Amino acid sequence: MAEIKPYEDDAEKKEQIARMFDNIAGKYDFVNRLLSLGVDRIWRKKAIHLLQKDNPLKVLDVATGTARVAIELSAELPHAKIIGVDISNKMLDIGRKKIEEKNLSNSIELLYGDSEDLQFKDNEFDAVTVAFGVRNFENLAKGLEEMHRVLKPGGKLVILEFSKPIVFPLKQLFKIYFKYVLPTIGKVMSNDRRAYKYLYDSVQAFPDYDRFLSVLNDLGYKKSKYIIMTGGICCIYTAEK
Ligand SMILES: C[S@@+](CC[C@H](N)C(=O)[O-])C[C@H]1O[C@@H](n2cnc3c(N)ncnc32)[C@H](O)[C@@H]1O
């Protein structure tokens, strides 16, 4: 996968990604909801719901950002302990504030942590989730390998990620919206045009659908499959250790 970075300087992708999310953290939730017309919440809920029948008691939410998935997880799985990790301290600060306001500090803990070098023991989690995170990893295989390591045998991985719609006219509309409309609205809202240009470029470069399943299978995941959401704007990928 070609390395797509947000900015035009020499810093490594991970540093640029953390900087980009630190820049847009204050507006992230609002802009997200606005640009997706609220559909992103439905996608997250559907992904999380896939874990309900497994009733996992310890869940890791990688690239947790402002804790949107972690908070939904605690509603869906009230007995679970949820740990969220991210490399953007500003995103984590906002997430922590939300958790406190919602009185969820007993069930959710947010930590600074890099998906490519997780600070947890082997076989520690019943489930791992990542929403709109894997596309941003500097080293996709390393991140997926680390999640495999910390999952218990039989534990489930649930990944939500943008994909490229393949059907007419969604494919064409998606291109116009993502490539032209979104960076303009994103700049006005968050003052960082590059962040939303990066969104389009990184979705184009991401190995979606079967290509992503191949990556998972090559790393030792089992029973990998995907569910296409909203005509292919995004996919939920699931797999087991
Ligand atoms: C688009 S946001 C998604 C946040 C959240 N999961 C959600 O659904 O709203 C992507 C997040 O991935 C984080 N991220 C990117 N690379 C990471 C890495 N290597 N380790 C941990 N977090 C990472 C970013 O800092 C950012 O907060």
Side-chain angles (χ1 to χ4, degrees):
M1 175 175 139
E3 190 173 67
I4 304 292
K5 300 199 276 189
Y7 303 111
E8 276 158 1
D9 57 53
D10 292 337
E12 60 174 33
K13 178 171 177 179
K14 199 175 297 179
E15 196 259 294
Q16 291 199 8
I17 291 285
R19 193 193 326 154
M20 178 179 82
F21 282 102
D22 279 347
N23 279 348
I24 63 173
K27 302 269 173 62
Y28 176 82
D29 285 347
F30 173 72
V31 174
N32 231 266
R33 262 193 301 267
L34 178 79
L35 295 179
S36 77
L37 307 171
V39 185
D40 63 319
R41 176 138 194 243
I42 299 171
W43 294 334
R44 284 188 188 81
K45 270 181 170 291
K46 165 92 184 172
I48 289 161
H49 190 67
L50 296 174
L51 285 176
Q52 206 198 31
K53 72 172 170 30
D54 302 333
N55 196 24
L57 293 179
K58 196 164 182 192
V59 184
L60 176 66
D61 182 41
V62 171
T64 195
T66 59
R68 296 184 69 187
V69 170
I71 290 168
E72 293 282 0
L73 275 167
S74 79
E76 183 91 17
L77 305 166
H79 303 297
K81 169 79 191 169
I82 297 142
I83 297 180
V85 293
D86 203 284
I87 52 168
S88 162
N89 278 313
K90 293 259 167 60
M91 294 285 272
L92 289 170
D93 285 346
I94 289 167
R96 289 191 186 106
K97 212 178 284 167
K98 283 158 62 178
I99 290 165
E100 229 174 87
E101 279 164 14
K102 291 176 190 293
N103 266 327
L104 292 171
S105 305
N106 287 336
S107 51
I108 309 175
E109 187 182 6
L110 298 192
L111 304 169
Y112 178 89
D114 179 0
S115 65
E116 293 157 43
D117 185 18
L118 292 169
Q119 63 266 57
F120 308 105
K121 297 195 299 270
D122 296 358
N123 309 322
E124 200 172 326
F125 294 92
D126 300 300
V128 174
T129 54
V130 197
F132 308 110
V134 289
R135 185 176 29 86
N136 299 304
F137 292 175
E138 183 162 322
N139 185 333
L140 176 64
K142 188 81 186 76
L144 295 170
E145 240 168 48
E146 275 292 87
M147 295 191 258
H148 189 272
R149 179 182 68 73
V150 302
L151 266 175
K152 289 181 184 165
K156 197 181 256 179
L157 174 70
V158 178
I159 291 176
L160 181 59
E161 191 51 82
F162 285 116
S163 41
K164 297 177 276 299
I166 31 189
V167 289
F168 175 85
L170 211 60
K171 184 177 167 183
Q172 289 69 17
L173 288 173
F174 175 87
K175 184 165 179 177
I176 295 168
Y177 184 65
F178 256 60
K179 196 168 179 182
Y180 303 107
V181 180
L182 213 135
T184 309
I185 304 177
K187 178 179 165 31
V188 175
M189 292 299 178
S190 70
N191 220 8
D192 190 336
R193 190 173 210 281
R194 292 290 311 175
Y196 291 89
K197 178 173 186 318
Y198 163 80
L199 177 57
Y200 175 79
D201 294 342
S202 60
V203 174
Q204 295 309 301
F206 186 71
D208 48 11
Y209 303 108
D210 288 322
R211 289 190 299 155
F212 192 67
L213 295 191
S214 297
V215 177
L216 290 173
N217 296 343
D218 289 349
L219 294 169
Y221 284 97
K222 297 178 195 141
K223 299 187 190 170
S224 61
K225 43 182 180 271
Y226 60 82
I227 304 169
I228 297 177
M229 307 291 289
T230 322
I233 294 178
C234 77
C235 277
I236 300 172
Y237 300 91
T238 59
E240 286 178 22
K241 177 166 176 180

mmCIF file of all heavy atoms in Angstrom, residues 74-93:
data_model
loop_
_atom_site.group_PDB
_atom_site.id
_atom_site.type_symbol
_atom_site.label_atom_id
_atom_site.label_comp_id
_atom_site.label_asym_id
_atom_site.label_seq_id
_atom_site.Cartn_x
_atom_site.Cartn_y
_atom_site.Cartn_z
ATOM 1 N N SER A 74 -19.785 0.395 25.857
ATOM 2 C CA SER A 74 -20.205 0.248 27.250
ATOM 3 C C SER A 74 -21.734 0.210 27.365
ATOM 4 O O SER A 74 -22.276 -0.389 28.291
ATOM 5 C CB SER A 74 -19.591 1.317 28.148
ATOM 6 O OG SER A 74 -20.298 2.496 28.006
ATOM 7 N N ALA A 75 -22.426 0.839 26.398
ATOM 8 C CA ALA A 75 -23.891 0.769 26.417
ATOM 9 C C ALA A 75 -24.354 -0.622 25.989
ATOM 10 O O ALA A 75 -25.293 -1.184 26.557
ATOM 11 C CB ALA A 75 -24.468 1.829 25.483
ATOM 12 N N GLU A 76 -23.674 -1.179 24.995
ATOM 13 C CA GLU A 76 -24.081 -2.482 24.443
ATOM 14 C C GLU A 76 -23.617 -3.630 25.351
ATOM 15 O O GLU A 76 -24.268 -4.667 25.435
ATOM 16 C CB GLU A 76 -23.461 -2.615 23.045
ATOM 17 C CG GLU A 76 -23.811 -3.862 22.285
ATOM 18 C CD GLU A 76 -25.061 -3.716 21.403
ATOM 19 O OE1 GLU A 76 -25.481 -2.585 21.133
ATOM 20 O OE2 GLU A 76 -25.613 -4.770 21.014
ATOM 21 N N LEU A 77 -22.477 -3.416 26.032
ATOM 22 C CA LEU A 77 -21.894 -4.483 26.864
ATOM 23 C C LEU A 77 -21.670 -3.945 28.278
ATOM 24 O O LEU A 77 -20.533 -3.666 28.669
ATOM 25 C CB LEU A 77 -20.542 -4.924 26.269
ATOM 26 C CG LEU A 77 -20.530 -5.365 24.805
ATOM 27 C CD1 LEU A 77 -19.106 -5.435 24.278
ATOM 28 C CD2 LEU A 77 -21.203 -6.726 24.658
ATOM 29 N N PRO A 78 -22.741 -3.800 29.063
ATOM 30 C CA PRO A 78 -22.610 -3.107 30.354
ATOM 31 C C PRO A 78 -21.684 -3.810 31.360
ATOM 32 O O PRO A 78 -21.215 -3.177 32.303
ATOM 33 C CB PRO A 78 -24.046 -3.043 30.876
ATOM 34 C CG PRO A 78 -24.859 -3.930 30.017
ATOM 35 C CD PRO A 78 -24.119 -4.172 28.742
ATOM 36 N N HIS A 79 -21.378 -5.093 31.134
ATOM 37 C CA HIS A 79 -20.500 -5.791 32.089
ATOM 38 C C HIS A 79 -19.031 -5.785 31.662
ATOM 39 O O HIS A 79 -18.169 -6.316 32.364
ATOM 40 C CB HIS A 79 -20.962 -7.237 32.288
ATOM 41 C CG HIS A 79 -22.392 -7.305 32.751
ATOM 42 N ND1 HIS A 79 -22.792 -6.775 33.960
ATOM 43 C CD2 HIS A 79 -23.506 -7.782 32.154
ATOM 44 C CE1 HIS A 79 -24.099 -6.930 34.086
ATOM 45 N NE2 HIS A 79 -24.564 -7.538 32.998
ATOM 46 N N ALA A 80 -18.768 -5.216 30.506
ATOM 47 C CA ALA A 80 -17.400 -5.293 29.978
ATOM 48 C C ALA A 80 -16.512 -4.169 30.510
ATOM 49 O O ALA A 80 -16.974 -3.058 30.789
ATOM 50 C CB ALA A 80 -17.444 -5.227 28.455
ATOM 51 N N LYS A 81 -15.225 -4.492 30.645
ATOM 52 C CA LYS A 81 -14.209 -3.470 30.927
ATOM 53 C C LYS A 81 -13.634 -3.078 29.561
ATOM 54 O O LYS A 81 -13.235 -3.957 28.773
ATOM 55 C CB LYS A 81 -13.117 -4.078 31.828
ATOM 56 C CG LYS A 81 -11.890 -3.232 31.980
ATOM 57 C CD LYS A 81 -12.104 -2.100 32.973
ATOM 58 C CE LYS A 81 -10.944 -1.111 32.882
ATOM 59 N NZ LYS A 81 -11.149 0.125 33.586
ATOM 60 N N ILE A 82 -13.631 -1.790 29.271
ATOM 61 C CA ILE A 82 -13.188 -1.338 27.948
ATOM 62 C C ILE A 82 -11.960 -0.455 28.096
ATOM 63 O O ILE A 82 -11.949 0.490 28.889
ATOM 64 C CB ILE A 82 -14.323 -0.557 27.249
ATOM 65 C CG1 ILE A 82 -15.524 -1.499 27.026
ATOM 66 C CG2 ILE A 82 -13.876 0.019 25.921
ATOM 67 C CD1 ILE A 82 -16.840 -0.840 27.236
ATOM 68 N N ILE A 83 -10.946 -0.785 27.306
ATOM 69 C CA ILE A 83 -9.746 0.053 27.292
ATOM 70 C C ILE A 83 -9.597 0.621 25.885
ATOM 71 O O ILE A 83 -9.693 -0.111 24.899
ATOM 72 C CB ILE A 83 -8.493 -0.754 27.685
ATOM 73 C CG1 ILE A 83 -8.636 -1.259 29.115
ATOM 74 C CG2 ILE A 83 -7.223 0.106 27.545
ATOM 75 C CD1 ILE A 83 -7.488 -2.056 29.635
ATOM 76 N N GLY A 84 -9.408 1.935 25.805
ATOM 77 C CA GLY A 84 -9.202 2.578 24.504
ATOM 78 C C GLY A 84 -7.794 3.119 24.431
ATOM 79 O O GLY A 84 -7.295 3.685 25.412
ATOM 80 N N VAL A 85 -7.127 2.932 23.284
ATOM 81 C CA VAL A 85 -5.783 3.512 23.112
ATOM 82 C C VAL A 85 -5.745 4.364 21.852
ATOM 83 O O VAL A 85 -6.442 4.092 20.879
ATOM 84 C CB VAL A 85 -4.664 2.439 23.026
ATOM 85 C CG1 VAL A 85 -4.499 1.708 24.342
ATOM 86 C CG2 VAL A 85 -4.878 1.468 21.876
ATOM 87 N N ASP A 86 -4.897 5.390 21.886
ATOM 88 C CA ASP A 86 -4.740 6.280 20.731
ATOM 89 C C ASP A 86 -3.404 7.011 20.842
ATOM 90 O O ASP A 86 -2.839 7.127 21.934
ATOM 91 C CB ASP A 86 -5.893 7.307 20.685
ATOM 92 C CG ASP A 86 -6.121 7.858 19.294
ATOM 93 O OD1 ASP A 86 -5.319 8.718 18.833
ATOM 94 O OD2 ASP A 86 -7.086 7.428 18.630
ATOM 95 N N ILE A 87 -2.909 7.506 19.694
ATOM 96 C CA ILE A 87 -1.646 8.261 19.712
ATOM 97 C C ILE A 87 -1.882 9.771 19.696
ATOM 98 O O ILE A 87 -0.921 10.536 19.686
ATOM 99 C CB ILE A 87 -0.726 7.880 18.522
ATOM 100 C CG1 ILE A 87 -1.480 7.987 17.200
ATOM 101 C CG2 ILE A 87 -0.114 6.503 18.716
ATOM 102 C CD1 ILE A 87 -0.591 7.914 15.962
ATOM 103 N N SER A 88 -3.153 10.213 19.683
ATOM 104 C CA SER A 88 -3.418 11.654 19.730
ATOM 105 C C SER A 88 -3.909 12.024 21.131
ATOM 106 O O SER A 88 -5.035 11.684 21.521
ATOM 107 C CB SER A 88 -4.473 12.047 18.683
ATOM 108 O OG SER A 88 -5.024 13.315 19.008
ATOM 109 N N ASN A 89 -3.060 12.738 21.872
ATOM 110 C CA ASN A 89 -3.436 13.101 23.245
ATOM 111 C C ASN A 89 -4.650 14.023 23.289
ATOM 112 O O ASN A 89 -5.458 13.950 24.208
ATOM 113 C CB ASN A 89 -2.252 13.757 23.959
ATOM 114 C CG ASN A 89 -1.302 12.697 24.486
ATOM 115 O OD1 ASN A 89 -1.731 11.712 25.104
ATOM 116 N ND2 ASN A 89 -0.009 12.856 24.213
ATOM 117 N N LYS A 90 -4.785 14.870 22.265
ATOM 118 C CA LYS A 90 -5.923 15.810 22.264
ATOM 119 C C LYS A 90 -7.241 15.053 22.066
ATOM 120 O O LYS A 90 -8.255 15.386 22.671
ATOM 121 C CB LYS A 90 -5.743 16.858 21.159
ATOM 122 C CG LYS A 90 -4.585 17.804 21.400
ATOM 123 C CD LYS A 90 -5.084 19.133 21.938
ATOM 124 C CE LYS A 90 -3.998 20.020 22.496
ATOM 125 N NZ LYS A 90 -2.958 20.414 21.559
ATOM 126 N N MET A 91 -7.220 14.046 21.197
ATOM 127 C CA MET A 91 -8.437 13.232 20.988
ATOM 128 C C MET A 91 -8.758 12.521 22.306
ATOM 129 O O MET A 91 -9.917 12.466 22.741
ATOM 130 C CB MET A 91 -8.226 12.202 19.873
ATOM 131 C CG MET A 91 -8.029 12.779 18.489
ATOM 132 S SD MET A 91 -9.544 13.395 17.712
ATOM 133 C CE MET A 91 -10.175 11.924 16.912
ATOM 134 N N LEU A 92 -7.732 11.973 22.954
ATOM 135 C CA LEU A 92 -7.954 11.251 24.215
ATOM 136 C C LEU A 92 -8.517 12.182 25.297
ATOM 137 O O LEU A 92 -9.406 11.789 26.061
ATOM 138 C CB LEU A 92 -6.637 10.629 24.711
ATOM 139 C CG LEU A 92 -6.114 9.434 23.899
ATOM 140 C CD1 LEU A 92 -4.692 9.065 24.345
ATOM 141 C CD2 LEU A 92 -7.029 8.213 24.041
ATOM 142 N N ASP A 93 -8.013 13.423 25.344
ATOM 143 C CA ASP A 93 -8.496 14.382 26.364
ATOM 144 C C ASP A 93 -10.011 14.587 26.218
ATOM 145 O O ASP A 93 -10.745 14.620 27.204
ATOM 146 C CB ASP A 93 -7.819 15.753 26.194
ATOM 147 C CG ASP A 93 -6.388 15.725 26.697
ATOM 148 O OD1 ASP A 93 -6.025 14.754 27.397
ATOM 149 O OD2 ASP A 93 -5.636 16.668 26.375
#
